[in-house]
Amino acid sequence: MSTITISPARTLDAGAVGHILSASNDMMPWLPRLHSAAEEIMYAGDMIEAGWVRVAKKNGKVVGFIARWEEEIHALYVLPDAQDSGVGTSLLEDAKAETDKLALWSYQANSSATRFYGLRGFVETARTDGSENDAGLPDIRFEWVKGAF
């Protein structure tokens, strides 16, 4: 079993982070493709430059990332072939160690994410019809508070 290391993303990680976004989105047929692969790399670069991104590496390869500003998680993605190996949990535990509260939105159609967050102490606090997100898909608000689980 290889060790998972978590560290701040570097500018040069933008390509890997963008690839993780694309590969993950490709695995969700219900999710409309809103951006090209190049746009996803540019978006990744912007998040990295803002200091929001921490990456998970296995054997020196970026296999997952979390983008967080203060208490708000904007993205948590793991390469499809690295899922179910502790990468997402490691990224989330790293974020939990830095704050007493976290919150995020996830699409209702993403049942594996709903299960993942529930098992890690996040509770549902709201649902929308999707009219407020770019994809137009119904989503769920999740929140975690230290000591509440």
Side-chain angles (χ1 to χ4, degrees), residues 61-123:
K61 178 184 176 188
V62 176
V63 293
F65 75 94
I66 189 169
R68 180 177 64 87
W69 172 246
E70 296 178 350
E71 298 174 347
E72 189 71 22
I73 296 173
H74 293 273
L76 173 60
Y77 285 87
V78 177
L79 272 175
D81 64 352
Q83 292 179 0
D84 298 320
S85 67
V87 174
T89 299
S90 295
L91 287 162
L92 211 47
E93 291 302 317
D94 181 69
K96 286 178 175 182
E98 295 184 1
T99 187
D100 291 339
K101 181 180 178 185
L102 291 169
L104 61 97
W105 288 97
S106 181
Y107 296 117
Q108 289 181 29
N110 195 346
S111 57
S112 61
T114 298
R115 187 172 42 258
F116 174 82
Y117 293 121
L119 290 171
R120 284 148 188 89
F122 283 75
V123 295

Side-chain angles (χ1 to χ4, degrees), residues 3 10-11 30 36 38 40 44 54 63 81 89-90 97 129 132 139-140:
T3 303
R10 303 169 302 134
T11 302
W30 47 265
S36 68
E40 288 172 335
R54 292 181 61 81
V63 293
D81 64 352
T89 299
S90 295
D129 63 3
E132 297 181 23
D139 50 6
I140 305 171

